[in-house]
Amino acid sequence: MADYKKTIDFIKSIYGNKEFTPLAVPVFAGNEKAYLNECIDTTFVSSIGKFVDRFEEDMAKYTGCKRAVVCVSGTNALHLSLMFAGVERDDEVLTQALTFIATCNALSYIGAHPVFLDVDLTTMGLSPDAVKEWLIKNAEIRNGECYNKNTGRCVKACVPMHTFGHPVRIEELALVCEEYHIELVEDAAESIGSLYKGKHTGTFGKVGVISFNGNKTITTGGGGMMLFNDDELGAYAKHITTQAKVPHRWEFRHDHIGYNYRMPNINAALGCAQLENLDKCVASKRKVATEYIDFFNNVDGIDFFAEPENTFSNYWLSAVVLKDKEAQLDFLQQTNNNGVMTRPIWELMSRLQMFEKCENDGLKNTIWFADRVVNIPSSVRLEDL
């Protein structure tokens, strides 16, 4: 059993040597209270209000997309994004088993089937090489669509997830998807502020999705956002998320099956204030990551997972890689027993009862990470803002 006291003491020192160091907590250091009070004073606390429009406009400008549409959660945003990509019941969606369950829940709402493919060792995200290899072996193009030769199902979409904020090799993945007539939907839930070759994650495919859950880099308490490079599709998405209600001064008319996925104004107000400090929040997380890198360079048996080549990562959650499963469990036990909150990577989707029979490619790298990765405290530091 290794002694991790030095590591525990260092992590505590980064966050002020407190008795308990949490994994990730929100920081409110700007106009949050002022904007929330304005919502209360004006009574616009529900789905109508100026902060909803402002948040969408500010996010579109920040990410460089043409249209941004807010939802009440990132999972809602993923659900609709897959629908907009044309995914239907019994279609297949290529994705990674190393992800949070929201990715698979969203496609399950439609009745689609995940196909789990391996991740890159350099990104922890869906590997373009693994996707291409699987498609060469298993796919064929019929009438302009991709089909799984083994199941006969249409392979409609591909959903990479930018794990812990580290961008995948998204340009290469987009080219593979284009070659095989597969729609690309980016699960960028964790990667607000992250860039691939200078371009914001979530803007490379048909739709990109960002999350504003309470533990994210910036938060609206709960919430999500869809990013579009198509103005018309973005406008349609806005319509569908608001019960597909046709504008009229007093009549209630609806022209599609709609969804009550509207983000309330009071949440959007929080988002507007948080977004004003986003660059500082990312800078703080990157500063913490740099301190971790310097420290773990001199620690045997623990490697810090640094941003991949050609990327700018928000380091949403800092991660270390232990030498094996036994070391991972030992590290988790010692840190949590001594006031430092750490967590293993999520249970692999392919190991959950709901998805254990889904097709996969062996997931060699995925399993390697699952047995070794631990997330360590990654909060934004108030003093950095």
Side-chain angles (χ1 to χ4, degrees):
M1 179 180 290
D3 183 1
Y4 296 115
K5 184 179 186 307
K6 182 180 178 182
T7 297
I8 291 168
D9 289 344
F10 179 76
I11 294 174
K12 285 186 173 182
S13 73
I14 284 184
Y15 288 101
N17 289 308
K18 298 176 182 178
E19 184 176 346
F20 175 71
T21 305
L23 187 66
V25 296
V27 171
F28 305 107
N31 289 313
E32 288 87 354
K33 288 184 179 179
Y35 293 168
L36 290 174
N37 283 336
E38 183 176 338
C39 290
I40 294 169
D41 291 342
T42 60
T43 73
F44 286 106
V45 296
S46 191
S47 57
I48 297 175
K50 74 174 188 179
F51 288 113
V52 173
D53 293 336
R54 175 179 162 183
F55 192 34
E56 292 177 334
E57 292 165 2
D58 289 351
M59 277 295 298
K61 183 177 180 180
Y62 185 88
T63 60
C65 71
K66 289 186 177 179
R67 181 75 185 260
V69 178
V70 288
C71 288
V72 74
S73 75
T75 308
N76 295 156
L78 273 169
H79 175 206
L80 288 184
S81 295
L82 288 162
M83 290 175 55
F84 298 144
V87 177
E88 298 178 344
R89 178 171 294 278
D90 285 330
D91 284 342
E92 292 183 349
V93 177
L94 308 182
T95 190
Q96 56 198 74
L98 195 158
T99 186
F100 183 60
I101 195 170
T103 309
C104 292
N105 279 344
L107 65 90
S108 297
Y109 299 159
I110 300 171
H113 303 270
V115 175
F116 297 120
L117 303 180
D118 212 357
V119 298
D120 281 322
L121 288 174
T122 55
T123 69
M124 275 196 277
L126 189 63
S127 170
D129 301 327
V131 172
K132 183 67 176 285
E133 182 179 350
W134 185 88
L135 287 167
I136 289 172
K137 292 179 180 178
N138 299 284
E140 63 182 4
I141 305 300
R142 302 201 309 256
N143 300 319
E145 291 189 306
C146 182
Y147 284 85
N148 184 335
K149 291 185 291 186
N150 304 311
T151 64
R153 297 176 181 138
C154 182
V155 182
K156 190 62 66 69
C158 176
V159 183
M161 201 270 287
H162 301 291
T163 310
F164 305 140
H166 300 301
V168 305
R169 292 156 54 199
I170 191 65
E171 281 188 345
E172 295 170 67
L173 202 51
L175 289 174
V176 174
C177 289
E178 183 179 4
E179 179 182 355
Y180 282 85
H181 307 271
I182 297 170
E183 293 287 6
L184 179 60
V185 174
E186 283 181 80
D187 185 344
E190 303 169 1
S191 62
I192 187 170
S194 295
L195 311 175
Y196 182 85
K197 294 184 179 180
K199 186 176 179 180
H200 200 284
T201 53
T203 63
F204 289 83
K206 182 89 170 182
V207 195
V209 173
I210 290 175
S211 170
F212 304 109
N213 192 38
N215 63 356
K216 294 301 190 291
T217 304
I218 63 171
T219 183
T220 58
M225 182 87 73
M226 291 179 285
L227 308 179
F228 298 92
N229 289 316
D230 182 329
D231 281 321
E232 186 175 344
L233 183 57
Y236 177 70
K238 182 68 173 179
H239 181 58
I240 292 298
T241 61
T242 53
Q243 300 283 30
K245 186 176 184 297
V246 178
H248 192 278
R249 288 175 61 197
W250 60 81
E251 291 184 353
F252 290 90
R253 298 179 182 176
H254 306 265
D255 57 3
H256 292 84
I257 300 297
Y259 295 84
N260 186 16
Y261 285 178
R262 303 170 289 186
M263 176 181 282
N265 193 51
I266 200 164
N267 295 86
L270 195 61
C272 289
Q274 290 267 289
L275 186 55
E276 292 170 353
N277 278 324
L278 175 56
D279 286 339
K280 292 181 181 179
C281 290
V282 172
S284 176
K285 283 181 173 285
R286 289 180 60 82
K287 185 178 179 181
V288 168
T290 298
E291 293 176 31
Y292 279 144
I293 289 170
D294 291 341
F295 174 79
F296 286 111
N297 278 340
N298 299 302
V299 176
D300 293 332
I302 306 178
D303 294 318
F304 185 81
F305 193 87
E307 63 189 356
E309 185 180 3
N310 295 318
T311 72
F312 177 92
S313 175
N314 69 2
Y315 283 98
W316 170 57
L317 285 183
S318 287
V320 292
V321 183
L322 282 298
K323 63 180 181 179
D324 54 30
K325 183 67 174 179
E326 183 180 357
Q328 181 197 48
L329 294 175
D330 186 20
F331 184 84
L332 285 164
Q333 184 175 35
Q334 289 194 44
T335 50
N336 284 285
N337 284 349
N338 288 279
V340 173
M341 185 177 179
T342 59
R343 291 291 183 267
I345 212 161
W346 313 280
E347 184 67 71
L348 298 182
M349 297 299 102
S350 54
R351 292 174 175 171
L352 297 180
Q353 179 182 355
M354 305 84 75
F355 306 115
E356 61 185 4
K357 294 182 181 179
C358 294
E359 186 172 354
N360 69 71
D361 64 354
L363 305 172
K364 179 181 177 181
N365 294 340
T366 301
I367 293 169
W368 190 89
F369 277 126
D371 289 342
R372 291 166 174 80
V373 170
V374 174
N375 290 123
I376 58 179
S378 311
S379 298
V380 172
R381 293 183 298 198
L382 190 59
E383 60 267 27
D384 291 334
L385 301 186

